Amino acid sequence: MIRFKLRSVFLFFSFFFLILGNSSYFALSGKNVFFEYLAFFLILALMLISYFRFNVRYRVLNGVIFLIVSILFNYGILLQNLSTNIKIRLVFSMLIIASLALLSDNYFIYPSDLKISVYGILGGILFCVIIALISRVSLTTLSVEGFGFSGFNGGLQHKNYLAADLVAVLWGLFSYAKFKKISKFDKFTIFICLTLLILSDSRGGLLLFCAFLLVEFCDRFFDKFKKVDKFVVIVFSILSIIFVVKILYLIVVEKSGSYADRSNGLTNYLNMYSSDKFHMIFGNAEMAFQDNGKTYTENIRSVTGWDGTTELAALSILVKNGLLGFWGYGLIFLKRILDAFQKREKVYKIIMTTGIVLLLVSSFVENYLVNMQIAFGVYCYLLIGSANGAFSKNED
């Protein structure tokens, strides 16, 4: 019982501190980095303890894949002309991503762990709102597109980050409901999260939520048509997905100026560096992370052009890790997709599929796939891994 309570404390505060690391107030004072490192210390400590509970064969297999991915992520960084401090920081961040993606199969042990973690996220958001009100930091972010009003950001650095974190909370609670009956307070929490998601006025957040609902719909659709010929069901499902994707493209992408800016950022970079084999293969961290007083975004845009932004995950991977990085992420997703196919219990298969879809969809709107400062990406990796490890339904 004591061990379970200690796990609960680690789970709650790891996400609580991770949210504080994204607080607008702490970011302005530069103290957000302290909360980020504290959050990852708690996450990694609990993850390593959970990892060593597995048998030797499992640890060796995942350890080998982790080593391969870590080399693919970091080899280019080590070749770059960067200061030792920056190299250490970048390598550490990539090791965290590889750990979350590949060594987290026993992180959430019980279904209740899901609730504890999502309420850690919500507790962090509430704290950020309170401190923003006290310090008079803006609680809104100007909406370039959307419903036409400034979106509620929950005291975080951007409304999109709040929206993504809320989708993680909703996914966590819906996943918990697959194992245990949710309480009235949980239902009230879901209602509040949906309201805040709308108030955030985040197209990206709504797109992620639609992707989440689409996976849930497909699952229930297959359940209702088990007796129908599988080929007919699969063809109908593929056509439905193509139709939905086409609608989303027309609404979100083709008519979105902000998405055009994201696309321009990637196009500009490819136009400038596609013939530079070294930087295409090994990344261009020396350009983006050079110690010149400018931010990562300013460094890239000052070189590739100011008509494009840096939010797309593909651009981040090319800049930080190069094509080797794509091989690393490809290996991660290949493993997790194979893991999902091999799961016998459908509930775990669906949770893993949802997480994989959410991460892939998010890569077209924001950097959540590669940015561990946002709770959404961290939660996706951890829940995918935990579903593969399977939850213990006995919490005694």
Side-chain angles (χ1 to χ4, degrees), residues 249-347:
Y249 177 82
L250 292 173
I251 296 175
V252 179
V253 178
E254 197 172 69
K255 295 184 179 181
S256 172
S258 61
Y259 189 84
D261 292 337
R262 290 174 169 85
S263 180
N264 285 341
L266 177 60
T267 302
N268 291 346
Y269 182 84
L270 290 174
N271 289 337
M272 181 165 288
Y273 289 102
S274 58
S275 59
D276 185 341
K277 291 184 179 179
F278 177 86
H279 287 116
M280 284 298 295
I281 294 173
F282 299 110
N284 207 349
E286 57 191 6
M287 176 271 289
F289 296 96
Q290 58 184 305
D291 192 8
N292 59 358
K294 294 181 180 179
T295 65
Y296 163 86
T297 300
E298 290 170 343
N299 279 328
I300 295 177
R301 297 183 72 183
S302 64
V303 173
T304 61
W306 295 94
D307 62 332
T309 58
T310 60
E311 284 92 347
L312 286 185
L315 177 59
S316 295
I317 296 171
L318 277 177
V319 169
K320 196 172 184 180
N321 315 106
L323 292 175
L324 289 180
F326 276 98
W327 280 98
Y329 282 102
L331 187 56
I332 287 173
F333 278 97
L334 176 61
K335 182 185 185 304
R336 287 314 187 191
I337 290 171
L338 291 176
D339 288 340
F341 272 114
Q342 291 172 0
K343 298 305 292 182
R344 292 184 178 179
E345 290 191 56
K346 185 181 136 184
V347 62

Side-chain angles (χ1 to χ4, degrees), residues 66-317:
F66 168 78
L67 180 61
I68 294 172
V69 170
S70 296
I71 292 173
L72 291 171
F73 279 168
N74 294 306
Y75 186 70
I77 293 174
L78 296 175
L79 293 178
Q80 305 284 314
N81 183 24
L82 292 163
S83 68
T84 302
N85 288 338
I86 294 178
K87 282 186 178 180
I88 292 174
R89 179 165 58 86
L90 293 179
V91 169
F92 178 69
S93 68
M94 297 314 304
L95 289 176
I96 288 178
I97 293 176
S99 300
L100 293 171
L102 296 167
L103 306 181
S104 58
D105 286 21
N106 209 16
Y107 189 80
F108 297 131
I109 298 178
Y110 310 109
S112 61
D113 289 348
L114 301 179
K115 283 181 64 172
I116 294 168
S117 58
V118 299
Y119 281 113
I121 294 174
L122 291 174
I125 293 172
L126 179 60
F127 187 88
C128 288
V129 169
I130 293 173
I131 199 169
L133 289 171
I134 295 173
S135 59
R136 297 184 180 180
V137 174
S138 177
L139 284 170
T140 60
T141 301
L142 180 64
S143 294
V144 179
E145 298 170 334
F147 296 119
F149 55 84
S150 293
F152 179 68
N153 61 32
L156 305 186
Q157 295 181 55
H158 201 283
K159 63 185 178 67
N160 290 347
Y161 302 156
L162 171 69
D165 291 344
L166 290 172
V167 172
V169 170
L170 290 167
W171 179 36
L173 289 175
F174 274 83
S175 297
Y176 171 81
K178 296 178 185 296
F179 301 94
K180 305 284 184 179
K181 183 178 179 180
I182 60 175
S183 65
K184 290 183 179 180
F185 185 79
D186 295 331
K187 294 178 181 178
F188 176 73
T189 299
I190 291 173
F191 171 76
I192 293 297
C193 287
L194 289 172
T195 303
L196 293 179
L197 183 60
I198 295 172
L199 292 178
S200 71
D201 197 21
S202 169
R203 274 193 175 190
L206 291 173
L207 180 62
L208 290 175
F209 184 65
C210 288
F212 162 68
L213 292 179
L214 182 62
V215 176
E216 290 286 328
F217 167 78
C218 287
D219 171 43
R220 298 187 180 186
F221 176 80
F222 275 106
D223 274 349
K224 290 184 177 180
F225 291 90
K226 282 182 179 179
K227 295 181 180 180
V228 180
D229 186 88
K230 287 185 178 180
F231 178 77
V232 176
V233 175
I234 292 173
V235 170
F236 180 80
S237 299
I238 292 174
L239 292 176
S240 299
I241 291 173
I242 293 174
F243 175 75
V244 172
V245 169
K246 180 65 176 178
I247 294 297
L248 290 174
Y249 177 82
L250 292 173
I251 296 175
V252 179
V253 178
E254 197 172 69
K255 295 184 179 181
S256 172
S258 61
Y259 189 84
D261 292 337
R262 290 174 169 85
S263 180
N264 285 341
L266 177 60
T267 302
N268 291 346
Y269 182 84
L270 290 174
N271 289 337
M272 181 165 288
Y273 289 102
S274 58
S275 59
D276 185 341
K277 291 184 179 179
F278 177 86
H279 287 116
M280 284 298 295
I281 294 173
F282 299 110
N284 207 349
E286 57 191 6
M287 176 271 289
F289 296 96
Q290 58 184 305
D291 192 8
N292 59 358
K294 294 181 180 179
T295 65
Y296 163 86
T297 300
E298 290 170 343
N299 279 328
I300 295 177
R301 297 183 72 183
S302 64
V303 173
T304 61
W306 295 94
D307 62 332
T309 58
T310 60
E311 284 92 347
L312 286 185
L315 177 59
S316 295
I317 296 171

Side-chain angles (χ1 to χ4, degrees), residues 377-396:
V378 176
Y379 198 80
C380 282
Y381 281 123
L382 291 178
L383 188 44
I384 291 171
S386 298
N388 186 50
F391 303 111
S392 171
K393 296 172 186 178
N394 181 14
E395 302 191 22
D396 295 330

